Amino acid sequence: MALHRLTSITMGVPNPAETAAYYTEFGLEPGEEGWFASRDAGRQLRIVHAAHRRLIEVRIGADTRDDLAAAASRLHRLGMASDTSGSTLTAYDKPTGVRAVLEVTPRLLQEPIAATLYNGPGRADRTDQRAPGVLRTDRVRPRKLGHAVLGTTDFDATTVFFRDGLGFKASDYIKGHGAFLRCSTDHHNILVLAAPVAFLHHSSWQVDDIDEVGRGAAAMLEDHPDRHVWGLGRHHAGSNFFWYLKDPAGNFSEYYSDMDCVINDQLWTPEVLEGAKGLFNWGPPPPPSFLAPEDLAALMTGTHSETR
């Protein structure tokens, strides 16, 4: 596909310094001007001040300027404005106010790491040594930004903006509620969620394996058990292992591993998921605060007061 990765996101929060300290502890590398880098993909998160927590910008990698022109044409046909300047195209999703920037940038080539060895019935792939996951002592550092989840007051319009306008592909849907959209070979890079207010639900960060999901979460919870949101579990859509935590601004952050990979679009059939499958395959049930974060009412009040 012409698009090839979610390059970065910018989140706005009322408490940038406190939130920045959280993501440093989460394993991202702080830099200048509010930027944070993942291990393999460089600068992928920017934290800036905003009156209330929100997703401000997503940046998406494209191969050529022709890809930008094609996106501009699609947006125009849909009655959506865009601006192309040099190697970037900028457009805004009207319901959420999120700025989307397509940028011509090189593809991310992650160096492959050795597969974690697991023993199973009749199969001893790891012998005469303990499992690597119980021997690791270094801090967990996310490899890359996987996806962002965006709540919107107009589910259809925001889905059309990303899918039919910018050129994302649909991987799966949650009936009447969610659209898993990809701009890379990952199962999803943007999840659009129907919500009573526009907000950033969570960002998701790739780690090596299930042990790193568990080790990362355990370290984050050691002195701050109140950060726990939901996990450990495995999703159905995307198939990934997950553990969700909460940052000081109220955004959720996810460690994940083993995400579905779609190389050939012709071989992947999107499903319309209902019930538990729309959320998870196994694990503890999601708490009510995951489905409806506790500050949504306050966000709605703040949003409404700002528009008066």
Side-chain angles (χ1 to χ4, degrees):
M1 61 191 303
L3 307 181
H4 56 77
R5 63 178 167 125
L6 181 61
T7 309
S8 68
I9 61 171
T10 297
M11 66 167 65
V13 297
N15 51 347
E18 189 181 6
T19 305
Y22 171 93
Y23 284 97
T24 301
E25 188 178 347
F26 188 78
L28 300 177
E29 190 69 30
E32 297 180 349
E33 299 179 339
W35 279 102
F36 290 79
S38 64
R39 188 171 177 178
D40 292 345
R43 300 197 313 180
Q44 293 205 281
L45 171 66
R46 191 181 188 196
I47 298 173
V48 300
H49 181 267
H52 59 275
R53 68 181 185 91
R54 58 184 292 254
L55 181 61
I56 292 177
E57 180 185 83
V58 296
R59 300 185 78 91
I60 300 131
D63 284 325
T64 69
R65 294 190 182 189
D66 288 343
D67 300 326
L68 306 186
S73 177
R74 290 192 300 269
L75 290 164
H76 178 74
R77 290 197 300 270
L78 293 168
M80 300 175 180
S82 65
D83 177 69
T84 302
S85 177
S87 60
T88 65
L89 175 147
T90 302
Y92 289 83
D93 174 47
K94 188 174 181 180
T96 63
V98 168
R99 178 173 63 246
V101 180
L102 301 189
E103 54 185 352
V104 177
T105 190
R107 291 183 173 238
L108 173 64
L109 298 177
Q110 286 183 290
E111 290 294 327
I113 63 171
T116 304
L117 298 179
Y118 294 100
N119 293 335
R123 188 191 74 250
D125 292 336
R126 186 193 73 253
T127 60
D128 305 321
Q129 57 183 323
R130 300 186 193 278
V134 305
L135 298 176
R136 298 170 187 160
T137 58
D138 56 323
R139 182 181 66 167
V140 171
R141 290 197 58 205
R143 291 283 184 174
K144 69 171 184 177
L145 171 65
H147 58 268
V149 178
L150 175 61
T152 174
T153 56
D154 192 332
F155 171 72
D156 290 336
T158 299
T159 300
V160 165
F161 174 76
F162 281 98
R163 183 191 61 202
D164 305 334
L166 297 181
F168 282 59
K169 299 291 181 71
S171 295
D172 286 308
Y173 294 96
I174 302 173
K175 188 175 183 179
H177 189 74
F180 294 88
L181 307 176
R182 66 183 185 273
C183 62
S184 72
T185 57
D186 290 340
H187 176 271
H188 58 285
N189 302 105
I190 292 289
L191 169 55
V192 178
L193 284 180
V197 64
F199 75 106
L200 173 61
H201 185 276
H202 72 264
S203 62
S204 185
W205 301 85
Q206 181 195 59
V207 294
D208 290 359
D209 55 26
I210 189 173
D211 282 298
E212 297 301 88
V213 172
R215 288 201 321 115
M220 292 293 288
L221 295 172
E222 184 173 3
D223 296 321
H224 301 276
D226 55 306
R227 290 172 171 172
H228 173 72
V229 177
W230 184 29
L232 173 72
R234 188 163 190 144
H235 286 303
H236 183 85
S239 301
N240 53 294
F241 296 108
F242 66 82
W243 200 318
Y244 293 91
L245 307 162
K246 184 167 69 173
D247 74 24
N251 306 297
F252 301 151
S253 59
E254 176 189 14
Y255 289 117
Y256 82 87
S257 68
D258 193 24
M259 178 74 72
D260 286 336
C261 185
V262 182
I263 301 295
N264 189 332
D265 294 335
Q266 305 301 316
L267 299 180
W268 183 268
T269 302
E271 292 184 56
V272 179
L273 306 170
E274 298 186 65
K277 276 192 173 181
L279 294 171
F280 69 120
N281 190 279
W282 61 257
S289 62
F290 182 82
L291 304 176
E294 296 164 352
D295 63 346
L296 281 193
L299 290 176
M300 292 174 68
T301 302
T303 300
H304 294 164
S305 64
E306 287 176 14
T307 59
R308 290 193 184 104

